[in-house]
């Protein structure tokens, strides 16, 4: 009997806040009285931030030099179609002190590093120094896996094969004398790429025996920088920079930093000469090559977008809150009636 | 009805049916044919107790065992069968194809990206279905493992139900259900009869008498059964509950006696033994072959409007997907036609690629784009919708407001597929008896010989007298009165169940004032009216005390009278009356007739016909159900004629029905009118209020009833379905097509002429079928302009027909049918949503319904609150899913324009995979389970809010377009915002280093995850702790996961593209600023839009939100502490704890408590009508106090 009673009462649903859908809840309502002050506040803050960002961006100096040589007047015109080694130089002047540290970029346009097959054409295991993959690279690298004699290529793949190989030197004309500006090749690649993601086997050509250099390269990977063991092989920073492929077809890559000697505080005003070892062909795809000198702030290079965006959105917030205030004032009373 | 007569009938019937069957019916010939597979023969031969003949060749037939299997899977076939079932779903199949494409050709993403979500979806669905199947297994095991008693090897053995074999003799005790279809062998009664109810099969609650053949009925003990040599031959199993043809051959003393078997001899599985101590029966159909199992029907799959629009949207998205893929492929080739882009020096093709055929290339490129964009079809949409429905439907069962205390029944959800349809109802079709009313008949008034009486304290009091006439210990009843009472107590098919038969057998002298002796007697009747009438006469003093064999016994004021039952002229719906012919104790032959007034009055010749007719109309106006009683005396000569006619009609081989009708018509004539009865069917609690509320919610209510039109109209009026102010149009008793059309036209004109007044329409079944046959359009025209429609005299199928008519009308309104009886099943199944009322008429309606509730009044909360919630939830869920996937995939599409259409993905594979599964899945699920746009009390108090969501408005094409466009806009903002940030690819880091493509993609992805989550947060109106948890948790999880994912070189991953990308992104200030500005830019117009809409053209939902805000807070504040019940003021433990702690909470809690309760449910009618006002006045003060 008792059991039956229990069974009978067991049908009764539990009376808890959860089962009765009466959980305590915050029920915000976006009404004008909350939103108008909120918008005003946000708008003001954004305009402030925007102005600050804009000013920061304004202060950044930028010097851009196109050295493609499409124009027949251009000093590099001769190198444009030349397949042999070719050097050309350009002069430019800096009117005021170019505050340091100055960053030296090269830029390419119309160059699609973001193509899928191109980007996938590498073997991360090889680059991690795994010797198994030296002799047997991933087929992702096709058609840059093996050379015509069926020898494995290290580093394999289109990405490595097409590494940018122009080199630059910069000299400062002081009293008619060319003074070389020292360029620092350290710290241009991501710290993690340099220290963890890319590893050399012990840097010795023995490990590379039985492998071939990429077809477009003049020298094998272990001779990229013979002067510095820590900048050679897979951890060569130019190589690392190239291997981090760009998101968009017009891109810049960091080439060097100017941090040494007299130029640690920046490039003084004056005339400079840029000498280019012109190797990399861009003519076939109407690309442009350029060199960019820039200094950076805490927010990076020259970028007006953020500042403008903040100012625009901020002022829109303010405008809209005023509009809403008018609407609110006109219709609020109607609603109450 | 004597068994003899019955067996005669069956015999005749059997002769016909068996004789035309093939010779295989005889076991010996079957043995000769031998090779026939057992089931192909037309009959099955069952040897009772499986005693096979010792001689002769006998090949035993194989029968199914007695296991009931309602489960779909076994452990072994679960995986393959479930997978098959799941991949029959178009969406799953689509993703399987995508997955296979990824496996086969070189595609931008690894097969894992679509394989893993697919696996997830499949697994979740499989777990859900597995769980449901496990429940079914459990139920099956319970049924199959139930203990039963079987006669085996000379003794009674207890075994499990599943072990019963065909041929086993089964013993069933009182109030047990039959474990298989049994042929009754014997009962504890000498005549071998037993009573059963088949409520669980067909919903009929009356007692039915079943018989055994005389040769077996003597075997009342196990030992006697042991000696029984019998063979049952019967047809193979079929689903018809009321058809059974067979014969039993009993061998006694070497002599074979053949007896026919009919449905009267068969005890169906699922029926319950009543009123009989025990029976023995031989199992003939077992397990899945029993008639009950054969009647298991796969419920028709109803699809909700939301699901339909969801599928439409999916198709639109499929088109978007295909066109994006085609566009991309074409653009790719347009681009590649220029040599320099086809194969730049730095990215040359392999030999294989150069040599492959361009067509194959093209196709493979197209497929690759398809794979790249395939996420625009939200893979987890189905699984989320399914989980939402499954989990969400629990709230209905949990709702205390839908719990009926008296009957201890809570609401029941039979299908969770239609939850949101509850919020879309436009037409409500309701049964009357048992749905609007209690189906608890109470005798109220009667008219005898032209004088009206009413029942008062167990006495009949003529109109105008007071009930308590002093003293009168023995009432002076006139002979007419007495005859009337006797007629009522004799003319019926009521059965009696004795709870303690001994006590009344004691035979102490009855006294009419003392009904104590009858208290153990319970009447069972097919019609509640009959039961009410017999009970009423018992109270008054003429008690029907039993029916043994051919004699009916009544007790008239202590005097027992025995009547011999000669004939029963059964009730049928065409005649609408029934009669009995009796031999009175004095030896006279007499006919009593009882029936609808239109079916009896025309045949009466004497008695107070006109007065009675007036009284009947009066009763009907009061909403009473009326029956007219008449009698006829037969002279001995007349009776012989009657008897002959009946016998010849009953035994006629051809056109028996017709002949019977003729005989009945001849007999039920020349009647003497005795009087009329008025039985009241009480309205259920709060029916008028509920109807009013539903009507204010914009739901049109149609009452469909089998009752006569006057009764129906008066009930309609009393339950508020019809108003006094309504202009009531009638379409009644139309006999011809033209007449009907003419009347319809007239009605249409009238509606046009005075359109100010509300109209109600009354139609009867006959006119309706005329109207539907030829003039559907005209009829619909009239109906649509009527705010209330009442259809009376409806047959069950007609009810379904009306529902279908509305359902298929051009507007395609959503219909809901409510009913409680087996006659409502067709309507319940036909309507978009079928609701069963757990009433007195069995479980048939409940079992076939989509939702079942205990009372009609619960409909208000079910529709207005639950329906509203579910609809809002699922509509937003569906729209949001499409939105977030557009946001997800469009940047990827845009990126193709910047990467030579090379199918480069913007996001990493892991992000592609987890976006829908992890990063954005939970907030929407929690939203779709808990969202409440408006507080439930306000939803109930302001039914007009229901109109805000009618016509699937939240899933209209406009809103769909809004969400899709919004998705595209946001995607553009994400992508181009990030694009502009990169500018001419300036460095974003303070150390001058550069980002790569993965950082760019991750920036877009981060912005997206945040925006999409916050967009849902903007939509969320009801922030429980769970919403907070999953919303902020999802964003936090994304960051934590990304840090973790990018922080490790994953040995098993093919590439390490994402290594430290996220950290680098976060380490630069501009990225943070960019994230903030992009997210704000996306959401700022949203907020604007919301606020402006709210102030310029607020929907009534929004208005009530702002009204309700303080009150709802007050409520939620109290209710989180106090869990009260109706009429109780108890606080939960927590509240008490708090009280003890603070010592002062009590006052305020009680304060809030009372205020909230008065609003919470319209417990008082006054309160209900003024609810809108109460909310306005009450809330602020209470809120502040609380």
């Amino acid at each position: 009997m008792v059991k039956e009673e229990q069974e009978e009462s067991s049908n009764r649903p539990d009376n808890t806040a959860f089962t009765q859908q009466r959980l305590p809840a915050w029920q915000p309502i976006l009404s004008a009285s909350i939103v108008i002050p909120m918008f005003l506040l946000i708008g003001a803050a954004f305009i402030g931030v925007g102005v600050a960002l804009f000013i920061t961006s304004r202060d950044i100096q930028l010097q851009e030099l196109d050295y493609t040589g499409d124009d027949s007047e251009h000093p590099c015109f001769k190198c444009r179609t030349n397949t042999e080694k070719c050097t050309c130089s350009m002069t430019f002047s800096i009117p005021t002190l170019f505050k340091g540290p100055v960053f030296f970029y090269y830029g390419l346009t119309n160059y699609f590093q973001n193509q899928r097959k191109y980007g996938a054409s590498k073997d991360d295991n090889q680059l991690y120094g795994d010797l198994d993959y030296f002799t047997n690279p991933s087929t992702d690298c096709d058609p840059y896996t093996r050379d015509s004699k069926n020898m494995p290529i290290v580093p394999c793949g289109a990405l490595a094969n097409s590494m940018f190989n122009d080199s630059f030197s910069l000299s400062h004309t002081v009293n008619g004398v060319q003074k070389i500006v020292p360029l620092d090749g350290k710290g241009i690649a991501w710290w993690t790429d340099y220290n963890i993601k890319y590893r050399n086997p012990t840097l010795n050509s023995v490990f590379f025996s039985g492998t071939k250099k990429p077809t477009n390269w003049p020298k094998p990977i272990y001779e990229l920088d013979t002067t510095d063991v820590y900048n050679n092989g897979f951890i060569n920073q130019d190589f690392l920079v190239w291997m981090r492929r760009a998101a968009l077809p017009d891109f810049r890559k960091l080439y060097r930093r100017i941090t040494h000697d007299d130029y640690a505080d920046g490039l003084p005003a004056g005339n400079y000469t840029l000498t280019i070892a012109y190797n990399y062909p861009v003519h076939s795809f109407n690309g442009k090559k350029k060199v960019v000198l820039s200094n950076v702030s805490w927010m990076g290079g020259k970028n007006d977008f953020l500042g403008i965006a903040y100012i625009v959105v901020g002022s829109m917030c303010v405008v809209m809150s005023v509009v809403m205030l008018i609407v609110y004032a006109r219709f609020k009373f109607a609603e109450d009636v | 009805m004597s068994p003899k007569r019955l067996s005669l009938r069956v015999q005749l019937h059997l002769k016909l049916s068996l004789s035309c069957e093939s010779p295989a019916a005889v076991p010996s010939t079957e043995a000769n044919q031998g090779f026939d597979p057992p089931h192909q023969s037309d009959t099955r031969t069952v040897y009772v107790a499986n005693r096979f003949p010792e001689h002769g060749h006998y090949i035993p037939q194989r029968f199914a065992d007695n296991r009931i299997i309602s489960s779909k899977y076994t452990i072994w076939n679960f995986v393959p069968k479930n997978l098959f079932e799941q991949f029959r779903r178009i969406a799953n199949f689509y993703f399987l194809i995508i997955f296979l494409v990824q496996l086969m050709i070189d595609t931008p993403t690894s097969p894992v990206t679509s394989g893993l979500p697919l696996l997830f979806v499949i697994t979740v669905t499989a777990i859900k279905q597995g769980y449901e199947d496990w429940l079914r297994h459990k139920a099956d095991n319970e049924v199959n493992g139930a203990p039963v008693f079987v006669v085996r090897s000379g003794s009674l053995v207890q075994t499990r139900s599943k072990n019963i074999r065909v041929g086993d003799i089964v013993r069933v005790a009182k109030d047990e259900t039959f474990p298989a279809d049994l042929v009754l062998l014997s009962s504890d009664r000498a005549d071998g009869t037993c009573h059963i109810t088949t409520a669980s099969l067909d919903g009929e609650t009356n007692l039915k008498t079943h018989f055994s053949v005389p040769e077996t009925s003597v075997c009342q003990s196990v030992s006697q059964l042991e000696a029984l040599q019998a063979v049952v031959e019967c047809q193979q199993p079929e689903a018809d509950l009321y058809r059974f043809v067979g014969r039993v051959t009993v061998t006694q003393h070497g002599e074979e006696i053949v007896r026919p078997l009919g449905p009267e001899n068969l005890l169906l599985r699922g029926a319950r033994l009543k009123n009989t101590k025990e029976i023995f029966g031989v199992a003939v159909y077992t397990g899945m072959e029993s008639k009950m199992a054969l009647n298991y029907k796969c419920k028709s799959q109803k699809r909700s409007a939301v699901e339909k629009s969801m599928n439409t949207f999916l198709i639109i998205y499929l088109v978007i997907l295909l066109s994006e893929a085609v566009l991309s492929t074409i653009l790719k080739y347009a681009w590649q036609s220029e040599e320099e882009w086809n194969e730049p020096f730095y990215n040359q093709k392999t030999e294989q690629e150069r040599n492959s055929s361009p067509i194959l290339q093209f196709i493979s490129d197209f497929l690759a784009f398809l794979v790249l964009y395939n996420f625009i079809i939200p893979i987890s949409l189905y699984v989320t919708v399914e989980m939402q429905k499954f989990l969400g439907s629990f709230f209905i069962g949990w709702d205390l407001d839908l719990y009926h205390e008296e009957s201890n029944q809570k609401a029941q959800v039979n299908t969770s597929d239609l939850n949101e349809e509850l919020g879309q109802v436009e037409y409500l079709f309701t049964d009357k008896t048992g749905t609007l009313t209690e189906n608890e008949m109470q005798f109220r008034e009667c008219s005898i010989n032209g004088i009206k009486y009413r029942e008062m304290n167990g006495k009949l009091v003529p109109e105008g007298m007071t009930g308590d006439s002093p003293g009168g210990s023995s009432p002076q009843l006139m002979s007419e009165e007495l005859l009337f009472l006797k007629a009522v107590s004799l003319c019926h098919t009521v059965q009696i169940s004795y709870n303690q038969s001994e006590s009344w057998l004691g035979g102490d002298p009855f006294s009419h004032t003392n009904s104590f002796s009858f208290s153990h007697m319970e009447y069972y009747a097919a019609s509640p009216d009959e039961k009410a009438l017999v009970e009423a006469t018992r109270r008054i003093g003429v008690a029907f005390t039993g029916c043994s064999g051919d004699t009916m016994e009544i007790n008239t004021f202590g005097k027992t009278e025995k009547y011999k039952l000669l004939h029963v002229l059964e009730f049928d719906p065409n005649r609408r009356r029934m009669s009995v012919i009796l031999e009175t104790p004095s030896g006279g032959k007499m006919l009593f007739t009882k029936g609808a007034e239109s079916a009896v009055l025309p045949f009466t010749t004497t008695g107070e016909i006109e007065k009675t007719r007036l009284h009947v109309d009066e009763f009907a106006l009061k909403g009473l159900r009326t029956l007219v009683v008449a009698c006829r005396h037969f002279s001995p000569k007349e009776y012989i004629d009657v008897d002959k006619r009946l016998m010849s009609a009953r035994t006629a081989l051809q056109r028996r029905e017709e002949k019977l009708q003729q005989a009945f018509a001849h007999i039920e004539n020349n009647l003497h009118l005795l009087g009329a009865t008025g039985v009241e069917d009480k309205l259920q609690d709060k029916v008028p209020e509920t109807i009013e509320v539903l009507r204010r919610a914009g739901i049109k209510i149609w009452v469909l009833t089998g009752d006569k039109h006057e009764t129906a109209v008066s009930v309609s009026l009393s339950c508020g379905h019809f108003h006094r102010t309504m202009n009531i149009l009638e379409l009644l008793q139309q006999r011809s097509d033209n007449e009907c059309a003419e009347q319809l036209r007239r009605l249409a004109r009238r509606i046009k002429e005075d359109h100010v007044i509300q109209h109600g329409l009354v139609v009867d079944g006959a006119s309706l079928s005329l109207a539907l046959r030829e003039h559907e359009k005209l009829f619909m025209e009239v109906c649509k302009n009527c705010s209330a429609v009442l259809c009376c005299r409806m047959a069950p199928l007609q009810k379904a027909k009306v529902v279908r008519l509305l359902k298929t009308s051009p507007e395609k309104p959503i219909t809901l049918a409510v009913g409680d009886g087996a006659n409502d099943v067709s309507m319940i199944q036909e309507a978009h949503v079928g609701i069963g009322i757990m009433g007195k008429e069995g479980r048939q309606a409940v079992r076939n319904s989509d939702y079942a509730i205990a009372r009609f009044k619960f409909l208000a909360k079910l529709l207005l609150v639950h329906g509203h919630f579910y609809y809002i939830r699922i509509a937003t869920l569906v729209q949001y899913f499409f939105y977030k996937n557009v946001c997800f995939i469009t940047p990827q599409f845009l990126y193709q324009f910047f990467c030579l259409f090379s199918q480069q993905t913007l996001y990493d594979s892991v992000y592609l995979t987890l976006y829908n599964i992890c990063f954005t899945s939970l907030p929407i699920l929690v939203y779709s389970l808990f969202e409440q746009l408006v507080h439930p009390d306000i939803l109930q108090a302001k039914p007009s809010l229901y109109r805000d969501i009618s016509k699937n408005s939240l899933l209209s094409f406009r809103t769909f377009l809004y969400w899709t466009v919004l998705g595209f806009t946001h995607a553009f903002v994400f992508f181009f915002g990030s694009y502009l940030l990169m500018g001419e690819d300036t460095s974003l880091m303070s150390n001058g280093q550069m980002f790569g493509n993965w950082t760019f993609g991750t920036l877009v992805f981060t912005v997206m995850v945040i925006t999409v989550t916050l967009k849902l947060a903007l939509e969320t109106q009801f922030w429980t702790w769970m919403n907070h948890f999953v919303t902020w948790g999802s964003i936090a999880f994304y960051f934590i996961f990304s840090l973790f994912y990018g922080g490790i070189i994953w040995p098993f991953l093919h590439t390490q593209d994402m290594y430290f990308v996220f950290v680098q992104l976060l380490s630069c200030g501009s990225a943070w600023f960019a994230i903030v500005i992009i997210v704000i830019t996306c959401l700022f117009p949203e907020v604007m839009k919301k606020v402006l809409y709210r102030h310029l053209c607020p929907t009534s939902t929004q208005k009530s939100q702002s009204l309700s805000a303080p009150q709802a807070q007050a409520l939620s504040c109290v209710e989180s502490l106090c869990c009260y019940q109706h009429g109780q003021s108890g606080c939960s433990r927590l509240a008490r704890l708090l009280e003890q702690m603070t010592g002062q909470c009590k006052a305020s809690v009680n304060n809030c408590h009372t205020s909230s309760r008065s609003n919470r449910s319209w417990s008082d009618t006054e309160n209900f009508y003024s609810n809108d006002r109460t909310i306005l006045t009450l809330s602020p003060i209470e809120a502040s106090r609380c």
Side-chain angles (χ1 to χ4, degrees), chain B residues 993-1049:
Chain B
Q993 290 173 356
M994 300 302 300
F995 282 157
N997 65 325
W998 296 117
T999 321
F1000 177 68
T1002 308
L1003 174 65
V1004 175
F1005 194 82
T1006 309
V1007 169
M1008 178 168 67
V1009 168
I1010 296 173
T1011 311
V1012 163
T1013 309
L1014 288 184
K1015 166 68 187 162
L1016 185 67
L1018 274 185
E1019 293 294 311
T1020 308
Q1021 199 66 49
F1022 195 73
W1023 284 85
T1024 63
W1025 64 267
M1026 271 175 287
N1027 294 82
H1028 284 289
F1029 179 73
V1030 293
T1031 304
W1032 314 124
S1034 278
I1035 297 177
F1037 174 77
Y1038 166 69
F1039 278 87
I1040 293 164
F1041 172 85
S1042 298
L1043 288 175
F1044 175 65
Y1045 171 57
I1048 293 175
I1049 296 270

Side-chain angles (χ1 to χ4, degrees), chain B residues 899-949:
Chain B
C899 71
L900 284 185
F901 297 92
S902 61
Q903 300 135 12
Q904 173 63 47
T905 59
L906 184 56
Y907 325 115
D908 183 63
S909 285
V910 170
Y911 284 160
L912 280 174
T913 314
L914 296 184
Y915 176 74
N916 269 323
I917 305 181
C918 297
F919 302 143
T920 59
S921 61
L922 278 182
I924 184 64
L925 182 66
V926 169
Y927 170 92
S928 68
L929 287 176
F930 299 109
E931 173 68 352
Q932 301 182 9
L933 268 193
V934 186
H935 194 273
D937 298 350
I938 290 144
L939 278 178
Q940 253 178 304
K942 301 183 73 165
S944 55
L945 295 180
Y946 195 77
R947 292 170 196 243
D948 268 17
I949 58 164

